[in-house]
Amino acid sequence: MLKEMNIELPILPTTVIGSYPRPKWLRHMIRLYKAGRIDEKTLQESFDDAVIAVVKEQEDAGIDIPSDGEMRRDEMVEYFAQRIKGFRFYGPVRVWGNNFFNKPAVVDKLVYEKPIVIDEYMFLRKVSRRPVVKVTITGPYTIADWSFNEYYSSKQELVYELAKIINREILELEKAGAKFVQVDEPALTTHPEEMEWAVEAVNEVTKGVNIKLGIHVCYSNYEILSKYFDKLNFSQFALEFANRSFRDLHILKRLGDKEIGFGVVDVHSRRIETPEEVAQAIRKVMEIVDVERIYINPDCGLKLLPREIAKAKMEVMVRGVNIIREELRRKGVEKIIMRR
Ligand SMILES: [Zn+2]
């Protein structure tokens, strides 16, 4: 059973998955830094300023639970591998087409040396005017799946070791005051034969944690994932549905008392949805899931979209939510209590 937290949110709280397009000027500053033309301090100041800008953009759009847009992270696996002792990088490998990924290798016993994203959280907390912000962490299964394992005797052992490290990081975040952490596991269903132990291992990150934990799994086989809704020790599943034209909603019957982070705008398309399309999708999901268990988000991180389209998608999302909120307000339903 989910437990109530002492936090009130508007009904159908709106949030983002995490990443947001980096402002053009920030990309320019990163290039200057790599060329040795600005110092570390100036780069950090640029990251801070970018976070201020994108948090404001999210809040102006009406997002209830903003993120820092992952401004400081080049890539979701690399960022964590660079900050856990025991990884090394051999250089970029080709993943698809002409896209390269700086694939990390585990070459030694993994050690949690120091907090990874606590500073990110502290800065976001200082900048945001909202009662709750979202911190995202790449999950242990995805980090392992996208890395070379040259040290542990099995992938399973590696995922467990990573899970213990991520667990320590989440406990640190809780200590620092974070209320909502989302673990990103896009790779979770990619090897169905590993699901049984993968779910157990991923649960390791939740041990002893008393704040809200969500898990984001995208462009994945939800038939497989939904069999584990109950077993996965997370209160919320943030899933992508716009990209699949809101098919597969039936899998949400397996949610039990857990929550859905319902993806209503497609981040793989530049077409901007209409508020009515968003409202219509929410009406559909409300036929399956109680409204108090629905959060609204884009399908996935907005990072790869042009910034003005990302912004427009958030605005449309909130306008769609507001159509439904108005209908609910007439029935006296306006708030929910956040649960973990
Ligand atoms: Zn995603």
Side-chain angles (χ1 to χ4, degrees):
M1 277 296 279
L2 304 191
K3 293 194 180 75
E4 290 192 344
M5 298 172 80
N6 195 15
I7 299 168
E8 214 178 46
L9 293 168
I11 192 83
L12 297 169
T14 56
T15 184
V16 286
I17 292 301
S19 74
Y20 196 74
R22 276 175 167 163
K24 279 198 189 86
W25 62 262
L26 176 62
R27 282 184 267 153
H28 182 65
M29 293 303 272
I30 293 168
R31 277 195 298 274
L32 289 178
Y33 174 75
K34 284 180 179 163
R37 292 171 57 197
I38 60 165
D39 60 10
E40 171 79 27
K41 188 172 172 287
T42 310
L43 179 71
Q44 290 309 324
E45 195 181 321
S46 307
F47 282 139
D48 287 353
D49 288 348
V51 171
I52 292 169
V54 304
V55 169
K56 180 163 194 310
E57 211 151 288
Q58 294 171 56
E59 293 183 353
D60 285 352
I63 299 292
D64 300 308
I65 305 173
S67 75
D68 76 347
E70 300 177 8
M71 286 297 112
R72 299 165 211 273
R73 308 183 192 177
D74 280 339
E75 200 281 330
M76 65 182 288
V77 165
E78 183 191 83
Y79 188 81
F80 287 85
Q82 283 167 340
R83 288 160 179 78
I84 297 169
K85 191 170 170 252
F87 280 98
R88 68 167 288 183
F89 292 87
Y90 297 125
V93 294
R94 184 184 283 238
V95 277
W96 43 273
N98 268 328
N99 290 279
F100 288 85
F101 167 56
N102 199 11
K103 189 168 173 173
V106 181
V107 295
D108 203 346
K109 183 174 167 46
L110 296 180
V111 181
Y112 179 79
E113 283 188 306
K114 54 179 190 300
I116 305 168
V117 296
I118 307 297
D119 290 349
E120 282 186 17
Y121 162 70
M122 298 297 276
F123 189 77
L124 170 61
R125 184 58 284 171
K126 195 167 71 181
V127 165
S128 173
R129 294 165 295 178
R130 299 285 194 251
V132 185
V133 295
K134 183 188 270 189
V135 184
T136 57
I137 293 191
T138 307
Y141 186 83
T142 298
I143 297 177
D145 195 56
W146 296 1
S147 301
F148 298 110
N149 175 16
E150 297 173 1
Y151 181 80
Y152 290 99
S153 60
S154 67
K155 181 177 177 184
Q156 184 171 356
E157 195 186 347
L158 169 59
V159 178
Y160 268 97
E161 286 306 306
L162 281 164
K164 282 182 211 157
I165 288 170
I166 301 296
N167 176 248
R168 282 191 60 185
E169 180 69 5
I170 296 174
L171 290 169
E172 290 293 329
L173 279 165
E174 180 174 340
K175 244 190 263 171
K179 301 282 183 262
F180 187 0
V181 173
Q182 175 185 284
V183 175
D184 295 327
E185 283 285 16
L188 188 59
T189 67
T190 52
H191 307 279
E193 71 285 2
E194 297 177 352
M195 274 302 274
E196 284 293 331
W197 65 254
V199 165
E200 297 283 324
V202 171
N203 276 341
E204 194 71 27
V205 311
T206 71
K207 288 237 170 102
V209 177
N210 291 304
I211 54 176
K212 185 169 188 61
L213 290 176
I215 184 167
H216 170 59
V217 186
C218 51
Y219 312 106
S220 298
N221 186 328
Y222 287 164
E223 279 299 336
I224 295 174
L225 180 71
S226 61
K227 294 196 181 107
Y228 297 90
F229 280 162
D230 188 37
K231 276 194 179 161
L232 280 159
N233 194 16
F234 294 82
S235 65
Q236 182 173 118
F237 292 85
L239 307 179
E240 123 293 301
F241 281 101
N243 186 256
R244 55 185 83 203
S245 308
F246 304 101
R247 285 187 298 270
D248 298 345
L249 284 179
H250 65 274
I251 60 131
L252 298 178
K253 289 179 186 153
R254 300 182 186 144
L255 263 183
D257 73 336
K258 295 188 176 177
E259 297 168 350
I260 175 73
F262 189 51
V264 292
V265 291
D266 186 357
V267 308
H268 287 175
S269 160
R270 292 190 176 195
R271 185 184 72 87
I272 296 159
E273 291 81 353
T274 66
E276 192 44 52
E277 277 176 273
V278 171
Q280 205 49 44
I282 298 171
R283 286 187 193 104
K284 259 193 212 168
V285 79
M286 281 168 61
E287 288 171 18
I288 300 169
V289 183
D290 304 328
V291 69
E292 316 83 66
R293 293 192 289 116
I294 304 171
Y295 284 49
I296 303 295
N297 43 252
D299 272 1
C300 188
L302 296 163
K303 182 181 184 170
L304 296 177
L305 289 167
R307 186 174 171 187
E308 64 277 11
I309 293 182
K311 183 165 177 267
K313 289 208 178 229
M314 290 191 305
E315 286 166 355
V316 149
M317 186 177 97
V318 172
R319 281 164 63 197
V321 167
N322 284 341
I323 294 173
I324 306 295
R325 279 180 180 162
E326 184 53 33
E327 294 169 11
L328 291 167
R329 199 183 58 80
R330 282 185 238 122
K331 295 180 196 157
V333 184
E334 289 185 72
K335 302 270 181 199
I336 60 160
I337 304 288
M338 193 161 112
R339 295 178 306 162
R340 62 172 174 86

